Amino acid sequence: RPRRPLVVFTPKAMLRLRGATSEVSEFTSGRFEPVIDDATVTDATSVRRVLLHSGKIHYDLKAEIDKRESKGIALVRLEQFAPLPELQLREVLSRYPNAEVVWVQDEPENQGAWPFLALESQKRGMPSLRVVCRPASASTAAGSTKRSAAEHAEVMDAALA
């Protein structure tokens, strides 16, 4: 029996992003991919950093890479967490032998997918991951728009540095 992806309702911001659209053919003849490799990478051996991530932050990272004209960075999206698609993830990451693998998330360090991925990757003997995210917090929100924007900018800088 084929697996079916879970549909998650998210904020409207994703509905307005042009890059977050799909062609009709992707729904009718495509299939769910648990790990999506960076299709823009032409020379995988020149990639120095793989930014592994999920969700809306993909579009923020892509925009920053384009704005800064950053080279040597691959954006790899993890679309499924449980069960962790270990084989597909290993296959994609093996394309980048010279790259550091970094998990990037907009959530605080003690929230979001990071705690799960850190534990799962260690249990499975996968390549070690470094995390770039907001500092650990008891709250899901920064408490102010200015502070949130500053933390987001720090995440972008650390991911692309």
Side-chain angles (χ1 to χ4, degrees), residues 41-114:
V41 173
T42 53
D43 179 15
T45 59
S46 68
V47 171
R48 60 180 168 72
R49 180 174 293 158
V50 172
L51 300 180
L52 187 60
H53 59 282
S54 183
K56 182 183 176 294
I57 200 162
H58 171 77
Y59 304 100
D60 298 338
L61 289 167
K62 185 164 177 27
E64 278 297 312
I65 286 171
D66 292 345
K67 182 173 120 183
R68 298 178 188 202
E69 298 179 354
S70 299
K71 304 289 182 211
I73 296 175
L75 297 177
V76 175
R77 290 186 277 173
L78 186 60
E79 298 288 308
Q80 174 182 311
F81 291 94
L84 189 69
E86 183 180 354
L87 295 176
Q88 293 95 328
L89 192 53
R90 283 183 188 275
E91 182 181 320
V92 169
L93 295 179
S94 70
R95 286 194 54 222
Y96 306 103
N98 306 320
E100 167 192 31
V101 181
V102 179
W103 173 257
V104 183
Q105 70 179 27
D106 202 32
E107 295 83 9
E109 187 172 12
N110 60 325
Q111 299 172 32
W114 172 243

